[in-house]
Structures are given as structure tokens and as C-alpha cells.
Amino acid sequence: GDIIRFPGGGGDGDRNPGEGAPGYGDILRRYRLGLAVGLASVVMLFVSFTSAYVVRQGLGTWDPRTGGYISDWQAIPLPTVLLVLNTLILLVSSFTIEKARRHAARQAALAPVTAMPGISAGVEKPMPWLAITVVLGFGFLLGQALAWRQLQLGGVHISTGPASSFFYVLTGAHGIHLAGGVLALLYAAATSLLRKPLETRRLVVDVTAWYWHVMLLLWLYVFALLEFAK
């Protein structure tokens, strides 16, 4: 089978003993740094959406009848109950993915010890945290689709007005990024089913978990913006 090499007793070392290649801890930090760089661009995207949202609210259109500018911004009736339910689903999913991340970290920490002859970590039946998170992720996306459907049944479409356009753009952009997180979760689950090396599984779960937490914070921000800045 695959040989697990965790330098420094669980992956905290920087380099493998006697080797010039980076160790597991160094690789994990590089993955996290790459994730931070990628998320910075995502955050900047939503900052630009926010600026456009606030500026557009203050703009008006010329009305030849009154000879002045009038505001064409009309707040839309948000499906608040459904959006709150979706928020709760995402909060729970953030908890479950964090449990999966900590479980993977614990396995990585115990790997050098349990690899010794005659030592066992004991019989453990772990919860399928990753699978639960995948289900909750799909539940959130389904809930967002239902929110769109509810608005459309009420006659609110993306071209109805500037307020509705921003709602669809903001929630749609977040949904696309969260769908990317769901794909990463599916890949993380596949690495476990395919019995990939333990260090590979922890890398995938760790990076995906931090991405998922940022998606939660981003959604809380978008929801607050739509609810309180309308």
C-alpha cells in the first residue's frame, strides 16, 4: 500500500529528514496560502458588487415631465423566511465540514504512532461528516433555487429593476462559488473511497473546509446587504 510519511510526528515539520523536498507541514501551508490568494480575488469581486449596489441605489433617471431626476430603485419583497432557512443550513454545514477537518487532522497526527507494530488507535466508527456536508450543500443550493422561483412567481425577474438585478447577481455569484465548494467536497469524499494516501486526504479536506467557512461568511454578508441595505 501507500507509505505515509508524516515528518515531525504528525505533519508539523518543514522538510523530510535527510531529503530536500518539502515536508507535509510545509505543503499544507502552501496549499492554505494558495487558497488565501484565490479567495482574495473572490472577496474583491463581492466588494466591487457592493460598491455598485450602493452607488446604483443613489442614481436616478431623468424625468422629462418633472424636469428632474427621480429614483427608479424599488425594493423587492425578499423571501426572507426561505433565505433564513438556507442560512441555517449553511451554518450547520460549516459545523459538519469543520468536524471532518478536525477528524482528518487527528488521523494525520496519530498516523506515525499507529504505524508502529502493536499500536492501535482503537476501534472507532466516525461520523460521515463529509457526506453530511455534501447533502447540506446541495440543500442550500436547492433552497436558493426555490427562492429564485418564489420571486419569479411573484413577478420579480432579473430584468424587473435594478434591485432585482442585483439580487440575482449577488445570490447567483455566491451560488456558483458554493457549487465549486460542493465539487471539492465530492472530490474529498472520492479520495477517501479510493483510499488515497492519508496526507492527500487531509490536504483536500483541510483546504475545502477553509473555503467552505469563507463561503458561509460571504453569504452572511450578502444576506445582510440585501436585507438591511435595501
Side-chain angles (χ1 to χ4, degrees), residues 102-127:
R102 296 191 179 192
H103 176 71
R106 179 175 176 271
Q107 284 184 314
L110 293 176
V113 179
T114 56
M116 300 178 183
I119 297 181
S120 173
V123 179
E124 182 183 8
K125 187 178 180 181
M127 285 286 292

Side-chain angles (χ1 to χ4, degrees), residues 18-164:
E19 299 179 4
Y24 178 77
D26 195 25
I27 294 175
L28 181 59
R29 284 191 292 271
R30 292 182 183 183
Y31 270 73
R32 288 175 177 175
L33 178 60
L35 175 67
V37 172
L39 286 174
S41 62
V42 175
V43 171
M44 292 305 299
L45 173 66
F46 280 87
V47 168
S48 64
F49 283 157
T50 302
S51 300
Y53 183 85
V54 174
V55 171
R56 184 60 184 85
Q57 279 184 317
L59 294 180
T61 57
W62 178 259
D63 186 5
R65 293 175 300 176
T66 60
Y69 287 94
I70 60 173
S71 176
D72 60 349
W73 186 276
Q74 295 182 352
I76 61 174
L78 296 178
T80 304
V81 175
L82 189 53
L83 294 179
V84 169
L85 179 60
N86 294 341
T87 303
L88 294 177
I89 292 175
L90 200 56
L91 282 169
V92 176
S93 70
S94 184
F95 170 79
T96 57
I97 189 62
E98 179 62 20
K99 294 290 288 186
R101 188 188 73 85
R102 296 191 179 192
H103 176 71
R106 179 175 176 271
Q107 284 184 314
L110 293 176
V113 179
T114 56
M116 300 178 183
I119 297 181
S120 173
V123 179
E124 182 183 8
K125 187 178 180 181
M127 285 286 292
W129 297 115
L130 277 179
I132 295 174
T133 309
V134 170
V135 173
L136 292 173
F138 278 115
F140 176 83
L141 293 176
L142 177 61
Q144 295 295 81
L146 291 176
W148 281 24
R149 181 61 178 167
Q150 183 174 332
L151 283 177
Q152 291 169 357
L153 291 176
V156 180
H157 304 276
I158 190 171
S159 59
T160 300
S164 63

